Amino acid sequence: MDPEEQTSDLYGIIQSVVHVEWLSTALTVAIALAFTALVARAVTKVLRRVLSHDNSPLPSSSIFVNIARIAVWAVGVSVVLSSCFGIDVSAAITALGIGGIAISLGFQDTLSNLIGGVQVSITGLVEPGDYIEVGGRRGVVHDVTWRHTSLKTLSGERVVVPNSVINKSSLTHLPPLTKVVVPLIVATGGADLDAVAAKIVKAAGQAAQKVGGGMSQEPQVLFTEAMECGYRASLIVWVEDGDKHSLVKDAVVRAVAPYTMA
């Protein structure tokens, strides 16, 4: 075969594969997806900044960021399918609706967790930073995602609780970690309650300062009941560093032990 004919045939093959319309379509798709990615990133940054403000009506849970990101990508992909490939997105969604029941059954747990996460976040039932007890586990809420709520226990463990469990189980909001509450039974031995309370407050304050917890205000002793063996009371110590909750509580209990009885 003539070299010129071989070259012509090769050029024809390349031209048939790398068609001008195919290249323009691929370029359009790439530009559209890149623009969608930029918009999704911008929306994510703005939404995180808005949710992080103290006056925001919504908690700073990542579930809202994830939903916004999915919505942006859904719009971007729909535009690409419609403009570049001529696909009727509305008709495709209608067709998918026929199998919606089967899909919903297959993703029943996922949908339950997603709806549960939206409910607990919008209603403010659970927010990052809350100290809660659910399903027998205690911890500080780290984040609420589209599938689960993550807790950090006082021992540093990370507990993952499905959102559907939070909606179905008993939920207890505990005092913040900056508030250390120690139940006491005070044996006065005939001494004045005010004098005993003052000694307990002084001992608790010194103990909290010693372990580095700091104090945002002076400890407080509240007597709630008179008993045969003494007086039931609650010692409240407000600390600045909630991460040292356990250390402060241990130090305070040891310090006030001489004024109490189990």
Side-chain angles (χ1 to χ4, degrees), residues 175 179-186 200 204 207-208 219-224 231-239 245-257 260-261:
K179 181 180 180 181
V180 181
V181 181
V182 180
L184 305 173
I185 297 179
V186 180
I200 293 176
Q220 184 179 15
V221 177
L222 301 176
F223 293 98
T224 57
Y231 299 89
R232 190 184 302 276
S234 293
L235 170 61
I236 303 175
V237 181
W238 295 92
V239 298
H245 180 98
S246 298
L247 291 176
V248 171
K249 192 168 187 178
D250 175 76
V252 167
V253 170
R254 294 174 184 271
V256 302
T260 65
M261 59 184 298

Side-chain angles (χ1 to χ4, degrees), residues 51-139:
L51 294 177
S52 64
H53 288 170
D54 295 334
N55 58 354
S56 173
L58 297 175
S60 57
S61 303
S62 63
I63 186 171
F64 298 112
V65 177
N66 293 333
I67 291 176
R69 187 186 294 117
I70 292 174
V72 171
W73 275 104
V75 173
V77 172
S78 299
V79 171
V80 169
L81 292 177
S82 177
S83 61
C84 298
F85 301 100
I87 297 177
D88 190 348
V89 178
S90 60
I93 294 176
T94 304
L96 289 175
I98 300 175
I101 297 178
I103 295 175
S104 63
L105 291 176
F107 292 91
Q108 185 174 4
D109 292 340
T110 300
L111 293 175
S112 178
N113 288 324
L114 175 60
I115 295 174
V118 173
Q119 287 178 342
V120 299
S121 297
I122 291 180
T123 59
L125 184 63
V126 171
E127 298 181 8
D130 289 348
Y131 185 36
I132 66 172
E133 179 178 1
V134 59
R137 303 302 299 270
R138 292 185 175 189

Side-chain angles (χ1 to χ4, degrees), residues 131-132 136-142 149-161 177 246:
Y131 185 36
I132 66 172
R137 303 302 299 270
R138 292 185 175 189
V140 178
V141 178
H142 176 68
T149 298
S150 58
L151 308 177
K152 183 180 180 181
T153 65
L154 295 180
S155 59
E157 299 175 336
R158 184 172 178 267
V159 180
V160 176
V161 182
L177 291 181
S246 298

Side-chain angles (χ1 to χ4, degrees), residues 188-198 223:
T188 63
D192 181 67
L193 283 180
D194 291 337
V196 175
F223 293 98

